[in-house]
Structures are given as C-alpha cells and as structure tokens.
Amino acid sequence: MSDSSDTASDSSSSAGTSSQKDPVEDVTQGSQRDNPDKDGASSEKGAANDHETASRNGDGDANESGQGSQRGAIDGDGDGDAAAPSFDATPWYDLLEYMEQDKQPEYGAEGLVTLWNAQSDQDDDDGAEHMANDFDIVVVHGLRGSRRPPWENRGSGRSRWLYDQGTYGRRKVMSFGYDPSKMLCGSYTRKAIESVASSLLEELTAARSGNQRPIMFIAHDIGGIIVKDALTMAGLNPRSYGEIFDFTRVLIFYGCPHRALDVLDMEDKLSSFIYGYPPLKGSTSLQLTGSMKYLSEAVIAINNLFMDSKHMFRS
C-alpha cells in the first residue's frame, strides 16, 4: 500500500484467500433479426441496418472497453439466432456514454450508482479468468476522481482494469460518489468524512437488499479513508451494518495515505499530493490550506480506528 504522495498506480489488497477467479463469458448488448426480407432490396436494407447495429460508428471500430463488444449488439452463436441479454443493459449503456465522452464526468456527484450487474454463468471463448466473479464490487473515487467514470484518479492510479474486463461473470459493479469540496471544511473535516462514510453504508445496505454475496472495495486516495471509516462504523454497529462488515472480503487501495510518523508528516504527504497536481475542483487555495491540518488529523485517527477494528484480519 502506498502513501498519498505516490504517483504510481500501485495497489494493495487486504485480502488474499477470499478472492476467487472463475472463467466467464463476455456479454455484449443488442439484437439480431430472425426473419430476412423477402425481396432483394429489403434484404440489402436489413443487412445494412444489422451492420450499423453491430458497430458503434459504422466503420467497424471497437469501443473503448477493448473487449470488442459493441453498443447495442448481442453476440449470437453464429447461426443467426438472437441471444437474450443476461442482465439489465441500461446502466452499462449509461457508463459507455461517459467512457466515450458523450457525457461529462460526474465530478462532485453524490451517492451510489450501479455501473453494471452481470448475470452470466458461462465461460468466455478464450477461457480467461477474472477476479471476483461472484462479488458486489464498490469503487470509491479519490479527490480528483468522479462517480462516473470512477477509474481515472490523478495522482493515485487507475482502476480501469475492472472496466476493461467487462461484463463477465455475476458481478454487480457499483460506484459511490461524494463531493470532495464538502469534505475539506476546516475543523469539521472529520465530521464530514464520517457523514460520507455513513451515507456509503446506508446506500450499500439498501442496494444489497440482504443478499450474502461477498463485497470488494476498490478505493483511491481519500476514498480509501472513507472506506476504512465506513467499515469501522459497520463493526461498531453490527445490528445495522454487521452484514457489510462480515461480508467484505477484498480491499484494494490506490494511493491511500495509510502511514505517517505524526501529524506533521501526514500533513506533508497530503500537501505534496494535493498541491502537486492540478487544483481540486470546487476548492479554493484558502480552503485547502485551512483544512490540511484537520484532514491530516482525521486520516490518522481513522487509520488507527481501522486497525483497532481488526477488520483487516477478517478480510
């Protein structure tokens, strides 16, 4: 696990034995026509429409996922029969619009959203293995990240590998967003982080609806501190959030500020991270300067409480 000042995308996992890899199949979206037109002109028009459906831009280019899946197309078995979608494609299509820059990133957006919810039990043709096949996966962006897409976080690495693996397996992938500018609020910084962590617990509990699938958290820089605070709160409130505490199995942190000699050392590390890159959206220099000491104290307190919770030994 790396300090907040690290610029590389090194990640670390607090869980080894519980993560699993299963071969699964790439699932893509769309439909194929079963009944060709009877006359030649209609057949030609139908073929052209099918080609347009199978390609995002009409010239055969693949989309950014790198999987060869196309917007609005379902891969069939090659004999002309249509394959039924194995999951609700709407969230995936929404995510594609952000990935293809048809929509601006959701900076400052708050709350939990589903990115995709795959329900495939079959192996993909290449026999590829993918991490956390049957997991609920929650991505928490960092100070420079966005809710959609959550993969790019300047200064704390990229988690796009999850998106690049695509809609394999039975994963439900979610993204939790928060407004970083609301967390940097001077002496109220600790309370602000606690409020965001509480919202994460509430919304994740509602989204899971009592299911007992294992949970994986992927968190960037301060997003990792939010996850730690949320898990500590869950351990202290088993009646309300014990299910999240017990079923969290994998923690992956990118650039999370785990360690420091003291408050001054943590403040130095956070300052290098925050001021070493483009300014944070929605935050002024005065706001950052006035909050740095309190943010450092909050990070150290949350790290210590997380260690005391012994969750890292349960995962």
Side-chain angles (χ1 to χ4, degrees):
M1 288 183 275
S2 61
D3 292 331
S4 61
S5 59
D6 295 342
T7 58
S9 60
D10 294 338
S11 65
S12 60
S13 172
S14 298
T17 59
S18 300
S19 59
Q20 55 188 16
K21 296 184 178 180
D22 291 321
V24 286
E25 181 181 26
D26 187 9
V27 179
T28 51
Q29 320 305 312
S31 62
Q32 297 178 344
R33 293 177 174 79
D34 293 322
N35 300 319
D37 297 323
K38 295 182 179 180
D39 59 274
S42 298
S43 298
E44 183 177 357
K45 180 178 180 181
N49 289 338
D50 284 345
H51 176 71
E52 181 178 357
T53 302
S55 175
R56 170 167 58 84
N57 52 18
D59 60 3
D61 291 342
N63 63 27
E64 289 188 27
S65 69
Q67 308 161 64
S69 60
Q70 306 295 331
R71 182 189 298 273
I74 288 288
D75 288 337
D77 54 10
D79 59 3
D81 295 332
S86 64
F87 68 101
D88 180 9
T90 302
W92 177 258
Y93 286 162
D94 289 341
L95 178 60
L96 285 180
E97 292 187 3
Y98 289 98
M99 297 301 296
E100 295 168 3
Q101 299 182 353
D102 293 333
K103 291 183 178 179
Q104 293 297 313
E106 289 186 316
Y107 293 113
E110 300 176 346
L112 189 71
V113 294
T114 298
L115 301 181
W116 70 87
N117 187 11
Q119 300 295 330
S120 172
D121 293 321
Q122 297 178 319
D123 298 339
D124 65 284
D125 295 336
D126 297 330
E129 294 183 351
H130 302 279
M131 178 191 284
N133 175 43
D134 194 12
F135 271 63
D136 284 348
I137 303 177
V138 183
V139 185
V140 183
H141 65 79
L143 290 179
R144 290 185 174 82
S146 61
R147 186 174 66 174
R148 280 185 294 192
W151 331 113
E152 304 293 335
N153 291 263
R154 188 76 179 272
S156 61
R158 305 168 75 241
S159 56
R160 182 174 166 140
W161 57 268
L162 181 63
Y163 170 77
D164 289 340
Q165 287 186 2
T167 56
Y168 290 102
R170 296 174 298 279
R171 298 170 174 168
K172 181 176 183 180
V173 181
M174 296 166 278
S175 177
F176 179 75
Y178 59 94
D179 186 350
S181 65
K182 293 182 179 180
M183 295 175 55
L184 302 173
C185 50
S187 60
Y188 293 97
T189 295
R190 178 68 183 93
K191 284 292 185 182
I193 295 176
E194 182 179 333
S195 176
V196 173
S198 178
S199 296
L200 172 58
L201 289 175
E202 291 284 352
E203 297 193 33
L204 183 56
T205 299
R208 284 171 59 81
S209 300
N211 80 66
Q212 296 187 342
R213 286 156 54 95
I215 302 171
M216 171 194 284
F217 284 102
I218 301 174
H220 292 260
D221 55 80
I222 297 302
I225 299 302
I226 294 172
V227 169
K228 288 183 180 183
D229 202 25
L231 290 175
T232 300
M233 292 169 60
L236 294 174
N237 296 276
R239 182 169 298 180
S240 299
Y241 310 119
E243 177 264 342
I244 292 178
F245 187 85
D246 291 337
F247 285 95
T248 295
R249 291 291 178 264
V250 182
L251 302 173
I252 299 179
F253 297 115
Y254 288 82
C256 180
H258 296 296
R259 301 177 301 274
L261 298 176
D262 51 31
V263 174
L264 290 178
D265 184 41
M266 179 62 74
E267 187 172 350
D268 181 63
K269 292 178 177 181
L270 290 175
S271 297
S272 298
F273 168 67
I274 290 177
Y275 293 111
Y277 294 91
L280 299 179
K281 295 181 180 296
S283 298
T284 64
S285 297
L286 183 61
Q287 181 182 10
L288 292 175
T289 302
S291 301
M292 198 61 60
K293 175 177 178 289
Y294 297 103
L295 177 61
S296 301
E297 292 175 346
V299 167
I300 290 177
I302 291 170
N303 283 336
N304 290 337
L305 289 172
F306 180 70
M307 291 291 292
D308 291 341
S309 74
K310 302 295 189 295
H311 188 279
M312 61 180 298
F313 302 109
R314 297 168 58 92
S315 298

